[in-house]
Amino acid sequence: MKNESNLNGLRILVVEDEIINSLLLTELLEIFEAQVVAVFDGEKAIEVFGNGENFDLVLMDIKLPKMDGNTLLTKLKSIKNIPIIAQTAFAMKGDKEKFLDSGFDDYISKPIEKKNLFEIISNIVKKSNILFF
């Protein structure tokens, strides 16, 4: 990572059907200087993802219209093996392990806190050796 205090240049696809949550995530990620593209359902995520847009990671809600998060995870990973972080408002003990076992690279529960979001993304970037400027 070029600068440990921000995510400058990191391209993130946010898949979130609730407009308020999408706006909040976009705002938080832009504070860290990430480049964000937000979509509201799984079909649009596949369309944007498959059109050759280059993303470094995906932040995805689990409950989406038209396609659930696990199905979308499988489809996106088949296009490009990219880190995908699950997010859900219905957090329960053991969820993180469940999401990791199903193929997600990490997990964050709502309400999302700025510091926690940055730490999770930073850890994914380091583990995945993502280079961005």
Side-chain angles (χ1 to χ4, degrees), residues 60-64 67-76 84 99 104:
M60 177 195 325
D61 190 17
I62 295 303
K63 295 193 183 269
L64 294 166
M67 186 179 311
D68 67 85
N70 288 319
T71 302
L72 181 56
L73 167 77
T74 302
K75 291 184 181 230
L76 292 181
I84 300 178
F99 289 120
F104 287 94

Side-chain angles (χ1 to χ4, degrees), residues 27-111:
E27 182 71 24
L28 288 174
L29 293 167
E30 288 177 347
I31 288 171
F32 298 126
E33 300 181 25
Q35 298 172 18
V36 179
V37 173
V39 297
F40 299 102
D41 64 56
E43 290 177 359
K44 188 66 176 173
I46 291 170
E47 179 185 323
V48 169
F49 199 78
N51 280 344
E53 289 237 26
N54 188 24
F55 295 102
D56 298 302
L57 70 89
V58 178
L59 187 60
M60 177 195 325
D61 190 17
I62 295 303
K63 295 193 183 269
L64 294 166
K66 301 182 183 179
M67 186 179 311
D68 67 85
N70 288 319
T71 302
L72 181 56
L73 167 77
T74 302
K75 291 184 181 230
L76 292 181
K77 290 269 189 180
S78 73
I79 297 170
K80 179 182 177 187
N81 189 16
I82 186 171
I84 300 178
I85 301 169
Q87 57 167 334
T88 184
F90 305 103
M92 296 174 65
K93 187 173 179 132
D95 274 355
K96 183 169 184 166
E97 292 76 22
K98 179 180 78 172
F99 289 120
L100 293 177
D101 288 346
S102 66
F104 287 94
D105 295 275
D106 212 328
Y107 158 85
I108 190 167
S109 62
K110 297 175 186 174

